[in-house]
Amino acid sequence: MKVLFVTSEAHPLVKTGGLGDVAGALPAALIAEGLDVRVIMPGYPAAMERAEGRTDGPDLGDPLGFGRTRLIAARMPDGVPLWLVDCPALFDRPGGPYNDAGRADWPDNHRRFATLSWAAAYLGKVGDGRAWLPAVVHANDWQAGLAPVYLKQWRGPGPGSLITIHNILFQGRFPRTILEEVGLSPELFRIDGIEFHGQASFLKGGLQFADRVNTVSPTYAREIQTPEMGAGLDGLLRHRKAHLSGILNGADYEIWDPSRNPNLIRNYGVDGAVEGKAACKRDLQMRMDLDPKAEAPLFGVVSRMSDQKGLDLVLAVADRLIAAGGQLVVLGSGDPAEETAYMALAEARKGSVAVQVGYDEPLAHRIQAASDALLVPSRFEPCGLTQLYAMRFGTLPVVRRTGGLADTVIDVREPHGTGILFDTASVVGLWSALERTFALYADRDAWRAALRRAMQQDFGWTRAARAYRDLYRKTIETAT
Ligand code: ADP
Ligand code: GLC
């Protein structure tokens, strides 16, 4: 089965969050299951530089009037075949995939991601000129949302289309006037089209026109059908219920394995975990100017800073956490006010709190290894990957019972517990979970038993890849 996987980021070429991890791992897992998968993503400078074996592919001309566009055939470093959408006018610029160095969204994002979607739809419809024609176009998030729309607008037979929602809050909404600019009929600006509260929404377009819709955990698939968590799209999702499902993401243990992770001062498996983690903790305490206390429970955070992640709650409990003898290490970036608040906390609580603002892949691994517990107090979480990595690293996740967090962590009150869950996104809720964490930490045997169980969980990508294979089959059935 030939599948075109459409994404706006993929590790290790370009990554800003979990979608990058998924796009960097799921295609390879699908290929291992016998599927013929190719990835398509924008030709950002970093992607052009890091992709291997680049050769010229189909020339798309100037499809939407935004500039010359051609496809470059290449490979991910692990061999997964890749198309890069080479349109220098849209993608050849310094800065991030979605925003400039000053964090402002690129003003032409509608053009940039319409072009990605258009190129994907073109490959889906016409193929690459060398007999590679996908049976399914798998769009991810709003950036690929127009691919199913173009496919349905263009006449004649085409592939099945699936859209995966990684986060329903990011919808790609623009003024209605952009429709014609991106080559779509203004007639689509209607409630059962891509109109959303007076704007044109790329995500809504995808949800409306894709043959199948899915998201990254079964619980989030239910949650987004409610007015509280559907971000205005719950009605549409309830309407599409029969074609909506949830598939839990996996963890890439080629990368997230403490027994062979190159970023750690000491590697460890289940058996040497206590000693290995102690060495990693000492190392991190030294590197980050934390007091060298072996016995202080170290709480880690590796996260984007946004309202979703609930890190304001961590700020609010930080003093109590320190008073109880804990230490806190935070790696994150995003909301400027939150960044500033965390830096101020680190300054005021030297020795007990260490904060690094920014994006740092090796440090993310070191924090996972050094911490005793990882805090993920999200208000909502479609899947969440850091809690999966934490478990493999013998770091107990302290998570809010929502979305994929609820689907992956078992509370230590249960016989096979692997972490600590709490229900309300409030200071009281988080603090009660932390009290339970401190109590468990004091009971060394119980802690070590939970740590062992957490490390032995298997969230590898194979299960998810098989579920996607089945979903692709259903997508083809729905399309025909
Ligand atoms: P989301 O996609 O909502 O950000 P996930 O838990 O699915 O959340 O994925 C986050 C990914 O991004 C993980 O791989 C995590 O390690 C990584 N990450 C988040 N913030 C940072 C950061 N500041 N530095 C390095 N890696 C980060
Ligand atoms: C989104 C979600 C996160 C999920 C990731 C990958 O960024 O916020 O929960 O794990 O996508 O699917």
Side-chain angles (χ1 to χ4, degrees), residues 281-298:
K281 188 181 195 171
R282 243 188 338 267
D283 176 57
L284 190 82
Q285 284 171 328
M286 215 167 60
R287 284 172 187 263
M288 298 202 66
D289 280 333
L290 287 165
D291 296 336
K293 292 182 180 162
E295 295 305 311
L298 177 59

Side-chain angles (χ1 to χ4, degrees), residues 9 68 77 266 308 448:
E9 55 179 270
R68 264 310 278 276
R266 170 101 60 96
Q308 169 188 353
R448 287 177 184 183

Side-chain angles (χ1 to χ4, degrees), residues 18-19 22 166-167 216 249 304 308-309 381-385:
L19 172 60
V22 173
H166 295 265
N167 189 330
V216 290
N249 285 333
R304 288 186 293 112
Q308 169 188 353
K309 300 293 180 179
E381 196 61 73
C383 179
L385 296 169

Side-chain angles (χ1 to χ4, degrees), residues 377-397:
S378 306
R379 294 196 163 78
F380 72 92
E381 196 61 73
C383 179
L385 296 169
T386 58
Q387 82 280 12
L388 303 183
Y389 305 151
M391 286 188 261
R392 182 50 62 107
F393 277 65
T395 303
L396 296 194

Side-chain angles (χ1 to χ4, degrees), residues 1 136 468-478:
M1 190 194 304
V136 175
Y468 274 100
R469 184 189 54 200
D470 294 344
L471 182 55
Y472 293 152
R473 289 197 183 121
K474 287 183 188 161
T475 302
I476 296 168
E477 277 166 30
T478 308

